Amino acid sequence: MAVVQALAMVRDGVITGEGPTARGRVHFSRMLDSTDASWCARLLTAAAMDNQPVSREEAEALFEINDVAAERSDDGRFDDLFAKAIVHHATSASGLPVPPRSIALSPGTPIESWAPTKAVGVNIEVLEWVASQMRGKRRSNRRLMALVASLIGAATLPLTHLPNVFDIGM
């Protein structure tokens, strides 16, 4: 729970440009910068958390940060971390094995090296939860959308559900 609370502080700092995660630097409201992305990475990969899968609450906190950050100046680091963390959660919540966070969430580790490549064993309810979090957002993470569709297994969803994943009409 401490990680979720700390991620909420990062979210609040992104919203206001103030607070403990923005202290000592110029930070504009609604801007996510490399320091914010580093905060998220450090929190999610702390040694005490390394062998635990990313939790639903942590994933929700990351969706909130993604939603409030209207602008980005982090060279894509948060988007990479965000996609990997959500896939880590979805994979583990489906009962599939995941590597330690320090490996899975590392910028140097390609997600394709550990994420499921087939839909076998992926929990459809988890996929629907991820899709519901992505639906209707003003800022979408194209990498996460592609991973949900291909790596995690859009093939497990009936075709009538696919428009909801991508917020398009059939």
Side-chain angles (χ1 to χ4, degrees):
M1 195 56 143
V3 172
V4 174
Q5 292 169 334
L7 288 170
M9 289 177 25
V10 173
R11 179 204 61 217
D12 294 347
V14 169
I15 292 171
T16 65
E18 300 173 352
T21 61
R23 190 167 293 136
R25 62 193 174 100
V26 175
H27 191 289
F28 298 101
S29 64
R30 301 290 178 172
M31 171 68 78
L32 187 142
D33 62 19
S34 60
T35 303
D36 298 316
S38 292
W39 270 107
C40 293
R42 281 191 307 245
L43 291 167
L44 290 169
T45 60
M49 304 302 294
D50 200 34
N51 290 315
Q52 298 176 32
V54 173
S55 71
R56 171 76 54 104
E57 293 79 15
E58 291 167 326
E60 288 172 345
L62 291 171
F63 272 112
E64 290 174 5
I65 293 168
N66 186 61
D67 290 347
V68 301
E71 300 293 326
R72 307 286 172 96
S73 63
D74 67 327
D75 295 323
R77 175 64 181 116
F78 180 81
D79 286 344
D80 180 66
L81 176 71
F82 175 59
K84 289 175 178 176
I86 300 307
V87 172
H88 197 268
H89 166 69
T91 302
S92 65
S94 296
L96 300 172
V98 291
R101 291 180 185 208
S102 60
I103 294 169
L105 305 182
S106 169
T109 303
I111 195 166
E112 297 81 5
S113 70
W114 60 266
T117 56
K118 297 180 182 173
V120 177
V122 178
N123 184 317
I124 293 173
E125 290 177 17
V126 174
L127 290 175
E128 289 175 342
W129 175 79
V130 172
S132 74
Q133 294 295 311
M134 294 167 39
R135 197 174 298 123
K137 303 299 183 189
R138 67 181 155 81
R139 180 177 181 92
S140 63
N141 183 309
R142 295 199 183 282
R143 184 167 190 190
L144 181 57
M145 288 185 346
L147 288 166
V148 168
S150 64
L151 296 177
I152 297 296
T156 63
L157 294 173
L159 289 179
T160 57
H161 285 64
L162 284 177
N164 294 332
V165 172
F166 300 105
D167 206 18
I168 58 175
M170 279 192 95

